[in-house]
Amino acid sequence: MATIGVLIETEEGKVKETNFGVLTAARQTGSDTIIALLLDGSADNAKDVLGQYGAGKVVQVSVSSGDMSTSPDLAARALAAAIENFSLDALFGLASAIGRDLFARLAALKDLPLVSDCVAVDLAAKTVKKSHFSGKTTATIKLSAEVLLFALRPNAVEAVEAPTEAAVETFAAAVEDPGQVKVVETKKEAADSVDLTEAAVIVTGGRPIAKAENYKILEECAHLLGGTIGASRAAVDAGFAPHSMQVGQTGKTVSPRLYIGCGLSGSVQHFAGMKTSKVIVAINTDKDAPIFEKCDYGIVGDLFEVVPALTEVLKEKL
Amino acid sequence: MQIYVCVKHVPDTAANIKVVGENGFDDAGCKFVANPYDEYGVEQAVQLVEKNGGEVIIVTLGKPAAVASIRAAMAMGAHRGILVTVEDQFVDSQITAKALAAAIGQDGKADLIFTGKGAVDTEGFQTLYRLAAAMNLPVVNEINKMDMADGKAIVGREIGGGARERIEVSLPCVLGATKGLNDPRYPKFPDIMKAKKKPVKEIAMADLGICADAPASELLKLEKVPERSGAKMLEGDVRQAVEELVRVLKEEEKVI
Ligand SMILES: Cc1cc2nc3c(=O)[nH]c(=O)nc-3n(C[C@H](O)[C@H](O)[C@H](O)COP(=O)(O)OP(=O)(O)OC[C@H]3O[C@@H](n4cnc5c(N)ncnc54)[C@H](O)[C@@H]3O)c2cc1C
Ligand SMILES: Nc1ncnc2c1ncn2[C@@H]1O[C@H](COP(=O)(O)O)[C@@H](O)[C@H]1O
């Protein structure tokens, strides 16, 4: 029976919700030994919530010298040591900005195969599925190695609870920092902003949003749904939104459960970044807008009327 | 400065991908471009050499047709190219990185190596890390800002939720470029003509002593993702349409 490690990401000490889907995916491989690894935050605080999703063991990984939060190479070395120590057959994690980077460092360090941004894992067959060609095709990839690495696309696997009693352990990795890459500063924009690539719901405003303040209208709606807001390149280029909000070929690739596009024409480049969303809704004044050809639900109307109405209804019904 | 830029020859993201057989696609029937993220690396390298002097060398692993992307990068100002030729449509990242490292190592001493943050075809997000490991160099990906001082590069990168990191990395190093780093130039006609005369060295991957047998990751199957076939339109006045939407999302789709 396989022993699977899951790298848990925390934010301000709290376990990010997107981890629960990753724990679920690890469990769905049939393994009954799930070891959650924490590099930051605290295993004691995380123990209950991780146990809720089937982690039998929660391990606080530490290093004797150096700081993993400012040295990704040190963190990768600590993970490599943990893989050996716990004889892991696979390590699962999130394909977030941090996770993608850490998994790639680990894969390069140990020369192990890695599938980044994968959406389904079959550990017995050693096959994994992921998007190729910006969502136009799905690739099935066969891996052959002793230890396999998977960075899962956030929200790709729906979290399912499987309560178990988690035991906390510590593991001190005897590793050294090569000291060549050092994070000297981390700046946060807004404290409560959900990361676009990890959001379960995204409400996006295109060119007709017309000014930066108008995103508040979308934000109110997105917050009620527990999500965040996005923008098209046309809106970013016009200065209505920062580039960090751009979805598409030259922006973020997202895959939320629900994507609501308001005032988007439906360009190929925008869709390259969000077409793998589970449900896509479009709101557009033009009944012939191309976006209606490639989404799931459409409303013909002015976003400045439809979105506030949606917010009202959500307030009443959620 | 001797700067190498790894550029992958990839289908345009707007191109239609026609799957052929179990695990291939019709590459003759689709438009290819230099991987868009790699262009930010090319632009950065060309600007650095314009300022400090030196040479920009493009390194590509691909089928013979991939020379077109080397020419495109040379039209942006790169001086010469190296094409590592393979027969296969897909080469896994472990092998690719070893071949790129061997080609660079054989050619000269790198002061800096740029790549893109990821290839838009296979979306691997890892080749540059493996290249860095093979060459024993540090690596930082997704950089959208860069300065150099005291033998170090100081780079900026976005880590989601609008958060940004500033990172110091010792030189030489491998840097993965993304949007925001610069504005890649559009080559003018004379530059395109000049690029045709710039040298490109072709090396077969086998001649680099790299074995492509038994890759640790292998593409078994490629399947077209079915396109959505048009929206279900929600009718009525605004209030009715929105109420119906909330009902469907809650009760049928179960996404809210
Ligand atoms: C190389 C390249 C890369 C690109 N990368 C990206 C990318 O990463 N992301 C991206 O988004 N784009 C990208 N683009 C640009 C893309 O081609 C489109 O130009 C862009 O996405 C259009 O943005 P839009 O849909 O907001 O605006 P428009 O195309 O102008 O569409 C606006 C839509 O809103 C409707 N509308 C108008 N008023 C209202 C209203 N009051 N209420 C509701 N609907 C209204 C209109 O009917 C129209 O359909 C890229 C282009 C290129 C060439
Ligand atoms: N076949 C290739 N030839 C040249 N560069 C490549 C190749 N494959 C990957 N790269 C480089 O590595 C980066 C990351 O690629 P990937 O890991 O495949 O997403 C790309 O942006 C390129 O700069």
Side-chain angles (χ1 to χ4, degrees), chain A residues 89 111-113 126 143-148, chain B residues 216:
Chain A
D89 297 299
D111 202 19
L112 291 171
K126 294 197 172 183
L143 303 176
S144 14
E146 288 294 302
V147 183
L148 307 179

Side-chain angles (χ1 to χ4, degrees), chain B residues 64-112:
Chain B
V67 73
S69 284
I70 297 184
R71 298 265 172 231
M74 292 193 303
M76 290 174 68
H79 299 81
R80 56 187 177 89
I82 303 170
L83 175 62
V84 180
T85 53
V86 291
E87 297 300 321
D88 296 330
Q89 239 169 11
F90 296 98
V91 180
D92 95 328
S93 66
Q94 282 165 286
I95 293 167
T96 300
K98 284 184 187 114
L100 293 173
I104 294 171
Q106 192 182 68
D107 186 76
K109 205 185 145 304
D111 292 310
L112 206 50

Side-chain angles (χ1 to χ4, degrees), chain A residues 5-9 35-40 59-63 68 71-88 90-94 98-107 109-110 112 147 149 171-175:
Chain A
V6 178
L7 174 64
I8 302 297
E9 286 188 32
I35 305 178
L37 303 170
L38 278 102
L39 303 183
D40 49 10
V59 177
Q60 182 82 50
V61 180
S62 64
V63 289
M68 288 192 282
S71 172
D73 283 331
L74 182 61
R77 278 160 177 75
L79 275 179
I83 288 177
E84 221 162 277
N85 185 70
F86 295 100
S87 308
L88 301 182
L91 183 69
F92 281 58
L94 273 172
I98 298 281
R100 261 203 321 265
D101 181 62
L102 208 47
F103 270 75
R105 284 179 196 278
L106 176 60
L109 181 69
K110 303 305 282 180
L112 291 171
V147 183
L149 305 176
F171 169 65
V175 288

Side-chain angles (χ1 to χ4, degrees), chain A residues 61 64 198 203 245 263:
Chain A
V61 180
S64 44
E198 292 179 48
V203 183
M245 263 171 66

Side-chain angles (χ1 to χ4, degrees), chain A residues 100-101 130 133 136 249, chain B residues 13 121 123 129 142 223:
Chain A
R100 261 203 321 265
D101 181 62
K130 72 162 288 169
F133 304 108
K136 288 194 275 279
Q249 181 192 321
Chain B
T13 50
D121 55 354
E123 308 171 28
Y129 293 87
E142 300 196 49
E223 289 163 287

Side-chain angles (χ1 to χ4, degrees), chain A residues 299-300, chain B residues 233-242 244:
Chain A
I299 295 179
V300 176
Chain B
M233 301 304 289
L234 306 174
E235 314 283 350
D237 63 24
V238 170
R239 174 83 197 184
Q240 286 166 334
V242 165
E244 176 60 6

Side-chain angles (χ1 to χ4, degrees), chain A residues 239-261:
Chain A
F240 308 147
H243 179 253
S244 59
M245 263 171 66
Q246 183 179 318
V247 172
Q249 181 192 321
T250 42
K252 299 269 156 61
T253 303
V254 301
S255 196
R257 273 202 310 269
L258 173 61
Y259 192 90
I260 305 181

Side-chain angles (χ1 to χ4, degrees), chain B residues 6-8 35 38 59-61 96 100 115-116 118-119 122-128:
Chain B
C6 299
V7 174
K8 191 174 186 187
N35 185 42
D38 305 355
V59 192
T60 299
L61 178 140
T96 300
L100 293 173
T115 72
T122 51
E123 308 171 28
F125 299 111
Q126 51 187 282
T127 305
L128 65 157

